Every structure is written in structure tokens, then in C-alpha cells.
Amino acid sequence: MKQYIPFIRKDPVVPVIRLQGVIASGPRGGLSDQGLATVIEKAFRRGKPAGVALVINSPGGSPVQSSLIAARIRRLASEKGVRVHAFVEDVAASGGYWLACAGDEIWVDESSLVGSIGVIFSSFGFHEFMARNGIERRVHTAGRSKSLADPFLPEKPEDVERLRALQEPIHRAFIEHVKRNRGARLDLNADLFNADVWTGQEAVRLGLADGVAHLVPKLQEIYGDKVRLLPYGQRRPLLQRLGMSLAGQALAEVENRALWARYGL
């Protein structure tokens, strides 16, 4: 009750925002700026938080959604003058590490997987299967790039070059985000930006993280034993919470599992 009584010293409060899952927009679910906007705004604006903690467990996903979420966190941290502490659980890779860099410090477990500072485009090739089974596909476009990387056609060198040209500025933006937020802590003599992944202690050595630490003891060390941690998280859609799934959700689940499987999870 003492937080409601004036002139009495209040225990410090740290909202804890859980960022778990694949980063994606729209009906595919996962972490998105739209889905997290209310959660993040409440965490920063409710009362006077001593700090804000991020608990991250994500194999990545959309670079745009990663950028939007991280930018929202940094904007509110600047407006409120609040320090942000990022804690990595199993993995903060690719877009997950983009989110971790929204923290003023990044803390990891010794077995956390961190990094994958790169960009990926993946697809399938069905043209040989179609040829063997006598399947003919008919497609008509206006604009020569409209059928870019069509999985039903043989891969074309010009399509590969075009995809690389699209990936390079995204990769560059990711690198600049990491450099801007990690600054002089990074070991720039190491090859940090080739999409490699490191375990926790190695990530600390390279400057990708600040130390090995867990949420509760680290926040108690910073703010005192009486710090109050308030959990905030994105609610899953009703169908997901009931364990039901439509065809589109099933496909999204396959994509999600493929991303997690890259890290043995």
C-alpha cells in the first residue's frame, strides 16, 4: 500500500517486457510492433519505473518489425529517461538480437545463443517436380521483375543478383543499428557481421553482450533487494490459446518451428 501514500519512500519498480517468439506482422502472429505497442507504452508510462527490462527469446524474423519495435523502445526510454536492461534466454539471433540491442545493456546466460547479424531469403524449387509430373504452369506479368524468384521456375542468375541487392541495404541497416547501440564495446577486429552465432560468454568477449547474468539477481543488484518486477507480455490470439489452428496458422507454425530449429530449439 505504501506506493499510494505520499512522502513515504517507495520500492523501485521495474516493468519486465517478455519478447518471445518469431518476429512477424499480420496473421502470421508472433512479435510485431502493432501487437506490442500497447504493452511497451504501458510499461514505460505507468507510474515512474526505475528501469525497464526486456526478456528476449527469439530466433528472429521480419527486419522491419524488429526495427519498429526496437525504435519504439529506444524512443520511450529517451522520453522517460529510463534505462533498459535486456536479458537473453535461449536465443537472441538475427531480429532477436536487433531487439536485444534496444537495451542499454545486454545480459546473457552462458548457454544463450547470440548474434546472427545477417539477412536471409529462403524458398523452394518445384520446377523439376513439375516437369517429371507433366505439370505446366502458366503465368503472365506486366513488369519483368514481377515473377522474381518464382519457386515454380528454374533459378535465374539475375534473380539471385537482384535478391542480393535487396539484402545488402537491410544488412547494412542491421550493422549500423548494432554499432550505434553497442558502440566502443564491440570488438571490431573480429568478424561480427557475417551471421555467425556465439554462446553467451563468447558474445561477452566480443562485446555483443555485457555479461552473464539472470533477471532477478541482476535487477536486485542494480536496484536493491526490494525491487518490484511487473511482468508485461503480448497476449496470444484466442484460437492459439485454445490450441486450435486454421490452415494459415498451421503454415505459420511450420515456418516458426523451422526458425527455432536452426538453433536446436
Side-chain angles (χ1 to χ4, degrees):
M1 290 295 293
K2 63 183 176 181
Q3 64 264 32
Y4 302 109
I5 304 174
F7 313 120
I8 293 182
R9 185 180 179 87
K10 302 176 179 65
D11 297 333
V13 173
V14 177
V16 179
I17 305 172
R18 174 163 286 277
L19 301 175
Q20 169 144 347
V22 173
I23 304 163
S25 61
R28 292 161 60 195
L31 301 174
S32 69
D33 182 57
Q34 181 181 18
L36 286 165
T38 301
V39 172
I40 296 171
E41 297 277 341
K42 281 183 178 178
F44 277 93
R45 298 192 186 282
R46 188 170 182 177
K48 295 181 179 179
V52 170
L54 311 175
V55 176
I56 298 166
N57 201 4
S58 174
S62 164
V64 172
Q65 293 302 313
S66 302
S67 178
L68 290 171
I69 296 166
R72 183 182 296 276
I73 292 168
R74 291 314 313 163
R75 173 176 57 81
L76 289 166
S78 178
E79 286 178 7
K80 299 290 285 185
V82 170
R83 199 159 189 80
V84 178
H85 312 274
F87 292 86
V88 178
E89 293 188 333
D90 297 280
V91 59
S94 195
Y97 186 66
W98 197 313
L99 297 182
C101 284
D104 294 288
E105 302 103 13
I106 300 174
W107 305 99
V108 295
D109 182 85
E110 289 183 353
S111 299
S112 297
L113 298 177
V114 177
S116 189
I117 303 170
V119 181
I120 186 172
F121 172 86
S122 60
S123 183
F124 297 94
F126 296 104
H127 61 285
E128 292 183 358
F129 172 83
M130 293 171 66
R132 284 197 304 268
N133 290 274
I135 301 171
E136 178 187 5
R137 182 166 185 257
R138 298 168 183 170
V139 59
H140 308 278
T141 68
R144 61 185 176 85
S145 295
K146 194 64 178 176
S147 190
L148 177 71
D150 190 327
F152 300 103
L153 296 174
E155 189 171 68
K156 295 183 282 190
E158 56 267 33
D159 284 358
V160 175
E161 288 303 310
R162 178 59 181 147
L163 287 172
R164 286 176 178 160
L166 292 172
Q167 289 174 329
E168 285 174 6
I170 300 172
H171 191 200
R172 200 158 52 241
F174 193 174
I175 292 170
E176 289 305 312
H177 172 71
V178 174
K179 287 183 174 179
R180 184 168 56 250
N181 289 281
R182 297 300 299 166
R185 290 172 287 188
L186 292 172
D187 179 2
L188 295 179
N189 293 318
D191 190 4
L192 300 177
F193 307 121
N194 66 358
D196 275 343
V197 178
W198 294 272
T199 54
Q201 195 63 63
E202 186 70 3
V204 173
R205 186 184 68 79
L206 294 169
L208 296 169
D210 294 285
V212 173
H214 294 165
L215 177 74
V216 174
K218 175 52 70 171
L219 292 181
Q220 287 178 338
E221 176 188 324
I222 296 171
Y223 297 106
D225 291 341
K226 293 186 177 180
V227 63
R228 296 172 57 230
L229 307 184
L230 299 183
Y232 287 80
Q234 181 174 275
R235 287 176 63 82
R236 292 183 299 160
L238 179 61
L239 286 178
Q240 289 185 16
R241 281 186 276 132
L242 293 175
M244 294 184 286
S245 178
L246 303 176
Q249 291 169 326
L251 180 58
E253 182 63 21
V254 171
E255 294 175 345
N256 290 351
R257 287 187 179 278
L259 270 172
W260 284 108
R262 292 175 61 199
Y263 305 102
L265 301 169

